[in-house]
Amino acid sequence: MQRAIELAALGRYTTSPNPNVGAVLVLDGQIIGEGYHQQAGGPHAEVFALQQAGSQARGATCYVTLEPCSHYGRTPPCALALIEAGVARVVVAMQDPNPQVSGRGVKLLTKAGIQVDVGCQESAARALNPGFLHRMQRQRPWVRLKLAASVDGAIALGNGDSKWLTGAAAREDVQLWRAQSCAILSTARTVLADQAQLNVRSNQVTPLHNGQLRQPLRVILDRQLQLSGQEAIFQTGGDILLIRQAETGSEPVELSTSQRQVSVAEVALDADNKFNLPALLDLLASKQINLLWVEAGSTLAAAFWQQGLVDEFVLYQAPLLLGLGALPMMPLAPFTSLTQVKRWQWQDVCRIGDDLRLVARLTGES
């Protein structure tokens, strides 16, 4: 199962919106076939493993990180493929929370006389797909907030100067996190201020079968209709979803762009005259967005944080002190007691170039 988990992780840049899954076939203590889900619309992990094993699959044991599918989608059911191949036993790390599967794959296998064991290294298997599991179980994307700050918690000098707070290695590392996301959320203000493209451009990322990098959907909040369509973000490949204010009573403003991948959606405002973030997350979930990477200014970051919508944060901390007058990482409302403050749990702390990368989740989240 450990090998299956390692294989599943190889698809982290290419499988969206599908989960990362790995499979290994074993006969008489020897691996006879292995595979992983490489790309949405392509064969699942079990199919690759069965193809490699060939006729040896009969009587073998299949170790798979997620319950084999039982429905016809863009590919036939993997549970039926395992039955037809004559495997004797299937060891499943975890049940699939997808309502289209959710125990049905196990039932098909057991009904065919195959021994099925569920729960082997489940925590490691769950860690492969936080976004997919979160959307299936809670009907919202997993929100991963990207932050960059000095040691004293500032994002820029008082005059706004922040380039570059962190080093080149940290910025390259951000590319890898972007590449694992289904969508990247930012604001028109960030796009204009930073001339941001918010796409994936790294030679460390596994490409799709066509040789291109999978580009996450770029979701840009543009309540004040600031973007013209001529900005750098519109000149790069990949889909863009512009979020505008709902029910304005005015005609929508057309973008001056020939890029056909640009679409527009409307989201209502909340009581503070800001975008209703829970409604935005519901919209993105309906578009099969599993993992949302939020990369924007301190105002949007604070809004997500204060509304309890952040599931995980990735903080790059530079070895700098910006001093009095520097702009804070997040302008949070003041607390009056430590009991009001949510406690986070470190998942990983490591050095990236000259900076630190700290990853944390809320205590109890998985």
Side-chain angles (χ1 to χ4, degrees), residues 58-109:
R58 184 163 300 278
T61 296
C62 178
Y63 294 85
V64 61
T65 59
L66 189 68
E67 178 183 4
C69 63
S70 55
H71 63 289
Y72 284 88
R74 284 189 280 183
T75 59
C78 290
L80 292 182
L82 291 168
I83 292 169
E84 292 170 2
V87 301
R89 181 186 177 209
V90 178
V91 181
V92 180
M94 64 170 293
Q95 183 174 305
D96 192 336
N98 185 341
Q100 292 183 300
V101 185
S102 194
R104 294 183 178 87
V106 170
K107 288 180 182 178
L108 272 177
L109 294 169

XYZ file of all heavy atoms in Angstrom, residues 58-109:
380
model
N -4.815 -12.893 -12.492
C -5.724 -13.891 -11.927
C -5.126 -14.468 -10.639
O -4.007 -14.971 -10.637
C -5.988 -15.007 -12.945
C -7.003 -16.056 -12.478
C -7.533 -16.865 -13.652
N -8.203 -16.021 -14.643
C -9.470 -15.594 -14.542
N -10.199 -15.948 -13.482
N -9.983 -14.848 -15.482
N -5.898 -14.360 -9.563
C -5.448 -14.858 -8.264
C -4.597 -13.872 -7.481
O -4.173 -14.181 -6.357
N -4.340 -12.704 -8.032
C -3.469 -11.727 -7.374
C -4.253 -10.868 -6.373
O -5.482 -10.906 -6.299
C -2.816 -10.832 -8.427
N -3.502 -10.079 -5.600
C -4.070 -9.109 -4.675
C -3.821 -7.709 -5.214
O -2.701 -7.390 -5.625
C -3.441 -9.233 -3.269
O -3.760 -10.511 -2.718
C -3.961 -8.141 -2.338
N -4.862 -6.907 -5.215
C -4.732 -5.523 -5.672
C -4.770 -4.588 -4.469
O -5.716 -4.632 -3.674
C -5.861 -5.176 -6.641
S -5.812 -3.453 -7.212
N -3.756 -3.766 -4.326
C -3.720 -2.726 -3.297
C -4.036 -1.403 -3.989
O -3.347 -1.012 -4.932
C -2.340 -2.656 -2.648
C -1.973 -3.886 -1.845
C -1.410 -5.002 -2.460
C -2.202 -3.934 -0.473
C -1.082 -6.137 -1.741
C -1.879 -5.067 0.269
C -1.322 -6.159 -0.373
O -1.002 -7.286 0.353
N -5.073 -0.721 -3.528
C -5.483 0.519 -4.173
C -5.819 1.561 -3.105
O -6.395 1.248 -2.067
C -6.676 0.274 -5.130
C -7.905 -0.261 -4.387
C -7.010 1.525 -5.919
N -5.451 2.825 -3.374
C -5.568 3.874 -2.361
C -6.980 4.403 -2.178
O -7.267 5.057 -1.176
C -4.641 5.058 -2.704
O -5.003 5.583 -3.993
C -3.186 4.611 -2.728
N -7.880 4.130 -3.143
C -9.268 4.589 -3.058
C -10.171 3.497 -3.614
O -9.809 2.817 -4.576
C -9.445 5.886 -3.862
C -10.768 6.632 -3.717
C -10.922 7.223 -2.319
C -10.858 7.767 -4.751
N -11.325 3.334 -3.015
C -12.276 2.315 -3.442
C -12.465 2.327 -4.966
O -12.706 3.382 -5.560
C -13.625 2.575 -2.764
C -14.716 1.617 -3.168
C -16.055 1.958 -2.535
O -16.138 2.993 -1.826
O -17.024 1.197 -2.748
N -12.342 1.184 -5.616
C -12.541 1.126 -7.065
C -13.927 1.631 -7.458
O -14.922 1.335 -6.793
C -12.377 -0.369 -7.381
C -11.499 -0.885 -6.284
C -11.913 -0.108 -5.062
N -13.974 2.411 -8.545
C -15.242 2.995 -8.969
C -16.178 1.909 -9.473
O -15.757 0.856 -9.958
C -15.018 4.066 -10.028
S -14.290 3.458 -11.561
N -17.488 2.220 -9.376
C -18.502 1.235 -9.748
C -19.468 1.772 -10.797
O -20.466 1.124 -11.106
C -19.308 0.844 -8.497
O -19.857 2.007 -7.889
N -19.198 2.953 -11.326
C -20.115 3.588 -12.265
C -19.412 3.880 -13.585
O -18.187 3.935 -13.653
C -20.658 4.897 -11.676
C -19.589 5.931 -11.439
N -18.648 5.811 -10.445
C -19.303 7.101 -12.082
C -17.828 6.859 -10.473
N -18.203 7.647 -11.461
N -20.218 4.086 -14.610
C -19.692 4.453 -15.913
C -19.600 5.975 -15.996
O -20.607 6.682 -15.922
C -20.600 3.934 -17.034
C -20.463 2.456 -17.276
C -21.238 1.556 -16.560
C -19.553 1.960 -18.209
C -21.130 0.179 -16.772
C -19.432 0.596 -18.427
C -20.227 -0.280 -17.708
O -20.090 -1.638 -17.917
N -18.377 6.481 -16.130
C -18.155 7.895 -16.350
C -17.493 8.042 -17.701
O -17.978 7.524 -18.708
N -16.349 8.715 -17.697
C -15.583 8.783 -18.947
C -14.804 7.501 -19.183
O -14.262 7.277 -20.271
C -14.635 9.997 -18.900
C -15.361 11.318 -19.120
C -14.424 12.479 -19.285
N -13.928 12.969 -18.019
C -13.126 14.031 -17.880
N -12.713 14.691 -18.952
N -12.733 14.435 -16.693
N -14.744 6.643 -18.140
C -14.102 5.332 -18.264
C -15.018 4.295 -17.616
O -15.839 4.631 -16.760
C -12.733 5.307 -17.567
O -12.893 5.629 -16.173
C -11.781 6.318 -18.201
N -14.900 3.008 -17.996
C -15.729 1.960 -17.390
C -15.372 1.746 -15.920
O -14.307 2.171 -15.461
C -15.390 0.716 -18.233
C -14.757 1.237 -19.472
C -14.056 2.500 -19.085
N -16.231 1.054 -15.156
C -15.984 0.816 -13.732
C -14.738 -0.046 -13.497
O -14.578 -1.106 -14.116
C -17.243 0.091 -13.264
C -18.276 0.384 -14.293
C -17.534 0.527 -15.576
N -13.897 0.417 -12.575
C -12.690 -0.354 -12.246
C -13.031 -1.616 -11.468
O -12.308 -2.616 -11.549
C -11.727 0.512 -11.443
S -10.981 1.832 -12.419
N -14.115 -1.577 -10.687
C -14.512 -2.775 -9.941
C -14.787 -3.925 -10.898
O -14.372 -5.067 -10.658
C -15.734 -2.482 -9.086
N -15.468 -3.643 -12.015
C -15.750 -4.694 -12.999
C -14.466 -5.182 -13.673
O -14.327 -6.377 -13.954
C -16.726 -4.171 -14.056
C -18.155 -3.893 -13.585
C -19.015 -3.436 -14.757
C -18.764 -5.142 -12.941
N -13.529 -4.268 -13.915
C -12.261 -4.669 -14.529
C -11.502 -5.630 -13.621
O -10.909 -6.614 -14.094
C -11.412 -3.434 -14.822
N -11.521 -5.396 -12.329
C -10.843 -6.282 -11.375
C -11.534 -7.640 -11.326
O -10.867 -8.685 -11.237
C -10.828 -5.643 -9.988
C -9.943 -4.395 -9.830
C -10.236 -3.687 -8.513
C -8.467 -4.767 -9.908
N -12.864 -7.619 -11.389
C -13.605 -8.886 -11.385
C -13.284 -9.702 -12.630
O -13.002 -10.908 -12.552
C -15.122 -8.598 -11.291
C -15.471 -7.999 -9.924
C -15.924 -9.878 -11.530
C -16.870 -7.446 -9.843
N -13.325 -9.042 -13.778
C -13.054 -9.738 -15.041
C -11.629 -10.267 -15.115
O -11.370 -11.297 -15.746
C -13.323 -8.786 -16.207
C -14.795 -8.443 -16.377
C -15.040 -7.325 -17.378
O -14.035 -6.839 -17.965
O -16.198 -6.936 -17.575
N -10.691 -9.580 -14.444
C -9.299 -10.033 -14.456
C -9.071 -11.211 -13.518
O -8.024 -11.863 -13.582
C -8.380 -8.878 -14.062
N -10.035 -11.462 -12.626
C -9.930 -12.623 -11.743
C -9.068 -12.418 -10.516
O -8.525 -13.408 -9.982
N -8.928 -11.185 -10.044
C -8.136 -10.980 -8.823
C -8.840 -11.667 -7.663
O -10.073 -11.795 -7.624
C -7.913 -9.484 -8.522
C -7.186 -8.791 -9.673
C -9.215 -8.782 -8.221
N -8.041 -12.117 -6.696
C -8.596 -12.863 -5.562
C -8.914 -11.966 -4.369
O -9.811 -12.283 -3.579
C -7.605 -13.949 -5.136
N -8.178 -10.870 -4.253
C -8.335 -10.015 -3.068
C -8.059 -8.563 -3.449
O -7.205 -8.293 -4.296
C -7.361 -10.457 -1.972
C -7.423 -9.668 -0.671
C -6.305 -10.106 0.267
N -6.285 -9.327 1.493
C -5.191 -9.070 2.222
N -4.012 -9.562 1.819
N -5.266 -8.354 3.327
N -8.798 -7.650 -2.830
C -8.571 -6.217 -3.026
C -8.437 -5.551 -1.667
O -9.330 -5.677 -0.816
C -9.714 -5.562 -3.820
C -9.470 -4.056 -3.960
C -9.847 -6.198 -5.204
N -7.316 -4.870 -1.462
C -7.069 -4.128 -0.222
C -7.226 -2.653 -0.536
O -6.504 -2.108 -1.382
C -5.661 -4.420 0.341
C -5.441 -3.642 1.645
C -5.486 -5.922 0.579
N -8.192 -2.014 0.103
C -8.548 -0.626 -0.175
C -8.145 0.253 1.001
O -8.479 -0.048 2.148
C -10.074 -0.495 -0.422
C -10.454 0.956 -0.703
C -10.512 -1.405 -1.561
N -7.437 1.332 0.712
C -7.021 2.228 1.791
C -8.213 2.934 2.417
O -8.302 3.072 3.638
C -6.007 3.252 1.282
N -9.138 3.418 1.575
C -10.299 4.140 2.097
C -11.483 4.047 1.150
O -11.324 3.879 -0.065
C -9.957 5.612 2.350
C -9.602 6.396 1.107
S -9.493 8.177 1.440
C -11.219 8.539 1.798
N -12.670 4.137 1.724
C -13.892 4.161 0.929
C -13.998 5.490 0.211
O -13.623 6.532 0.733
C -15.104 3.956 1.841
C -16.430 3.898 1.113
C -17.584 3.546 2.033
O -17.549 2.527 2.719
N -18.607 4.393 2.058
N -14.519 5.463 -1.002
C -14.708 6.672 -1.801
C -15.933 7.428 -1.294
O -17.030 6.877 -1.253
C -14.888 6.292 -3.265
C -14.805 7.475 -4.218
O -15.050 8.615 -3.775
O -14.490 7.262 -5.401
N -15.782 8.722 -0.910
C -16.946 9.487 -0.435
C -17.863 9.957 -1.560
O -18.936 10.494 -1.284
C -16.304 10.686 0.276
C -15.019 10.898 -0.466
C -14.537 9.504 -0.835
N -17.445 9.772 -2.803
C -18.279 10.152 -3.939
C -19.589 9.358 -3.880
O -19.564 8.124 -3.874
C -17.548 9.860 -5.248
C -18.294 10.347 -6.478
O -19.497 10.599 -6.438
N -17.588 10.472 -7.579
N -20.747 10.038 -3.839
C -22.026 9.319 -3.747
C -22.242 8.314 -4.869
O -23.004 7.353 -4.703
C -23.069 10.448 -3.816
C -22.344 11.679 -3.372
C -20.927 11.501 -3.852
N -21.570 8.509 -6.003
C -21.712 7.571 -7.115
C -20.976 6.258 -6.852
O -21.199 5.277 -7.557
C -21.194 8.198 -8.404
C -22.029 9.358 -8.913
C -21.502 9.894 -10.232
O -20.364 10.342 -10.323
N -22.341 9.857 -11.253
N -20.096 6.266 -5.857
C -19.340 5.058 -5.502
C -19.713 4.657 -4.075
O -20.533 3.786 -3.849
C -17.822 5.286 -5.633
C -17.070 3.988 -5.370
C -17.479 5.841 -7.008
N -19.099 5.297 -3.102
C -19.429 5.190 -1.672
C -19.930 3.812 -1.230
O -21.060 3.635 -0.805
C -20.474 6.244 -1.303
O -20.569 6.379 0.083
N -19.068 2.810 -1.346
C -19.394 1.465 -0.902
C -19.879 0.552 -2.000
O -19.843 -0.683 -1.855
N -20.322 1.108 -3.107
C -20.841 0.277 -4.201
C -19.740 -0.544 -4.858
O -19.970 -1.675 -5.299
C -21.545 1.151 -5.239
C -22.819 1.828 -4.727
C -23.500 2.628 -5.838
N -24.748 3.245 -5.385
C -24.832 4.423 -4.791
N -23.726 5.122 -4.566
N -25.988 4.906 -4.407
N -18.538 0.036 -4.951
C -17.422 -0.711 -5.522
C -17.083 -1.924 -4.680
O -16.854 -3.029 -5.206
N -17.061 -1.740 -3.361
C -16.780 -2.859 -2.447
C -17.855 -3.925 -2.580
O -17.564 -5.135 -2.609
C -16.691 -2.344 -0.997
C -16.653 -3.512 -0.014
C -15.458 -1.471 -0.816
N -19.135 -3.512 -2.673
C -20.233 -4.478 -2.787
C -20.122 -5.298 -4.067
O -20.364 -6.515 -4.061
C -21.568 -3.746 -2.730
C -21.922 -3.222 -1.350
C -23.267 -2.504 -1.365
C -23.596 -1.942 0.013
N -24.892 -1.191 0.012
N -19.772 -4.650 -5.176
C -19.612 -5.377 -6.433
C -18.533 -6.442 -6.320
O -18.690 -7.572 -6.793
C -19.243 -4.396 -7.557
C -20.378 -3.723 -8.327
C -19.798 -2.747 -9.346
C -21.239 -4.763 -9.035
N -17.425 -6.064 -5.688
C -16.301 -7.003 -5.546
C -16.655 -8.177 -4.648
O -16.382 -9.340 -4.992
C -15.078 -6.258 -4.989
C -14.476 -5.181 -5.905
C -13.450 -4.346 -5.149
C -13.820 -5.809 -7.131
